[in-house]
Amino acid sequence: MSALETTAKPCGQIILARHGEPALSRKVMLNASGYGEFWARYEIGGLLPGQTPPDRLRRFVADCGTLVTSTRLRAIQSAQTVLGDKPFDRYELLIEAPLPPPRFPVWVRLSPKIWGFVARVWWWYLNFHDGQESRAEAEVRADEAAELLVGFAANGQTVVVIAHGFFNHLIGRSLRRQGWKLAESEGYKYWSMRRFERG
């Protein structure tokens, strides 16, 4: 039994969970312009039907004091899959960091997975943001999100966030700088969770 399974009690934890699998096939090859259009569809799209959230996530949600999501449909639908009709708050602050593709020649065609990796490297290390949110701006936003979550957890309750893989990573970095420790990680796959405790 993992630590995630044995500590599902309100104790000032912050759980950063990634949304479920989106209903957008990645089995395509795209040039830079095509990937830009793909990402735009990804950002507004919902979940692939028929998914079942992991039992551990269900248990954390059942025991948490606060559950919040980003305002993206895939995060909202993920929370609804766990909660049903119960209300929860949604924050623009928690949306994913952008992935503008570098301006490669039109004949360069890559899969969305490879484009995502390349775009993130260009955005992170080369500050290529194509007029969208920059790395520095996203890091400031992640600090603000971390402060919001720490505030929710201040009374000792467990806070569950259902949002996005990379921006959850940025929030986690901010939490660690504030003295929180990563107690358990399932990585960054769909429905995965990373649990933080006060240091």
Side-chain angles (χ1 to χ4, degrees), residues 62-131:
D63 290 341
C64 76
T66 299
L67 183 140
V68 296
T69 75
S70 86
T71 54
R72 296 298 191 231
L73 182 59
R74 61 192 185 277
I76 293 168
Q77 289 183 341
S78 297
Q80 289 170 337
T81 301
V82 180
L83 281 174
D85 294 331
K86 295 181 181 178
F88 55 90
D89 290 329
R90 307 156 194 195
Y91 291 88
E92 185 79 13
L93 187 65
L94 300 173
I95 65 171
E96 183 60 292
L99 274 176
R103 296 168 185 169
F104 288 178
V106 68
W107 51 264
V108 176
R109 300 177 70 84
L110 305 170
S111 70
K113 182 176 181 179
I114 298 301
W115 268 122
F117 172 78
V118 171
R120 187 60 75 209
V121 169
W122 254 246
W123 182 83
W124 185 259
Y125 293 104
L126 303 179
N127 196 35
F128 178 79
H129 53 84
D130 203 22

Side-chain angles (χ1 to χ4, degrees), residues 163-175:
H164 309 277
F166 193 79
F167 195 68
N168 279 356
H169 167 70
L170 293 183
I171 295 172
R173 291 173 77 241
S174 182
L175 288 172

